[in-house]
Amino acid sequence: MTPPHLHGPRFAFGTLSVIPVRVSRWDREAARGGMLCAPLVGVILGCGAALLALVLLFLGAGSLLAAVAAAAVPAALTRGLHLDGLADTADGLGSGKPAEDALRIMKQSDIGPFGVITLVFVLLTQVAALSRLYDDSWARGALATVVAAVAARLALTLAARTGVPAARPEGLGAAVAGVVPVRGAVAVALAVTGAAAAAGALLGTDDLARTALAVLAALAAAELLLRHCTRRFGGITGDVFGGLAETAATTALVVLSLG
């Protein structure tokens, strides 16, 4: 029998990664714990991505290949879940159709032109930013890889807060919509931002400020997208969650690559 305190982490890793975790509970309480633990998934995925990037870097592969690996590992460890959600969200928003029709477009298995264009530019931006960071310093590159992965999942914690409705009565969006109390979401956001700033401080004062700013900017960008999607679709979906994660990760990387 799974101890009660492990249902949340199991839910988080079982729904947000391919890590083989048995999810035994799908109720609102487990979903709440899972979304509060979402940044922990980012820590694991980010560390795995940074490790592979550093191995390639130390083997002489160069910063560009290290950057590609750092961007590819989170995609692989989520089966492209968030990237697929980003593409579907872009297709839904780009269609310009009413909410019901846009949601139907998002459920289709194929990817439309808006989704393809968005994926191309987002992945190019991530790789370009990571290449700049790893070229500057292996430590800055590794830190950025982890921070971006954590910020991406932190955006999901905030998106699952009370008051944000689901656009559909079924799916991941409906399962986690509104499960996290606002105070809990804010507390996790402050804790993650503080931890990221502390990690950045190991590289210097400038990195402390830049890392904290990157997390806050990532959350701000994700919040803007969340509000837009809520207005357009009437709430959130699993695809929107993917779009929020990739938006937050990309924003964090761009900010970290500046200066």
Side-chain angles (χ1 to χ4, degrees):
M1 181 179 294
T2 303
H5 66 279
L6 292 181
H7 286 302
R10 282 179 178 271
F11 186 96
F13 282 95
T15 57
L16 299 178
S17 77
V18 299
I19 296 174
V21 174
R22 182 171 176 270
V23 182
S24 56
R25 284 179 52 182
W26 293 91
D27 54 70
R28 302 284 284 180
E29 184 179 350
R32 181 182 304 110
M35 297 316 294
L36 286 170
C37 292
L40 294 178
V41 180
V43 172
I44 300 301
L45 300 188
C47 286
L51 178 61
L52 179 58
L54 291 178
V55 168
L56 290 173
L57 199 63
F58 293 150
L59 289 176
S63 59
L64 180 57
L65 188 55
V68 171
V73 169
L77 293 181
T78 58
R79 290 196 183 96
L81 179 68
H82 298 322
L83 289 170
D84 179 66
L86 173 69
D88 288 340
T89 300
D91 282 332
L93 292 174
S95 69
K97 296 183 178 296
E100 185 177 347
D101 293 332
L103 290 171
R104 186 167 57 251
I105 289 172
M106 292 164 65
K107 288 191 70 174
Q108 295 175 358
S109 58
D110 59 331
I111 299 178
F114 290 105
V116 172
I117 292 170
T118 301
L119 280 180
V120 168
F121 280 108
V122 164
L123 289 173
L124 281 175
T125 300
Q126 291 182 1
V127 170
L130 285 165
S131 179
R132 166 73 173 82
L133 287 157
Y134 278 105
D135 186 59
D136 181 54
S137 161
W138 67 265
R140 286 194 70 198
L143 175 64
T145 301
V146 177
V147 168
V150 174
R153 278 77 195 172
L154 176 59
L156 305 187
T157 301
L158 292 175
R161 68 183 183 270
T162 303
V164 179
R168 300 191 187 101
E170 77 285 340
L172 179 61
V176 302
V179 298
V180 178
V182 173
R183 288 185 179 181
V186 171
V188 172
L190 291 175
V192 170
T193 304
L202 298 175
L203 303 182
T205 304
D206 289 344
D207 286 284
L208 182 157
R210 187 181 295 112
T211 304
L213 178 60
V215 175
L216 295 176
L219 297 182
E223 180 66 18
L224 289 174
L225 178 60
L226 172 64
R227 295 190 178 196
H228 183 52
C229 289
T230 301
R231 287 194 299 269
R232 282 282 285 110
F233 307 139
I236 56 173
T237 68
D239 287 330
V240 171
F241 268 88
L244 296 175
E246 293 299 332
T247 297
T250 304
T251 301
L253 290 173
V254 169
V255 173
L256 287 167
S257 69
L258 300 177

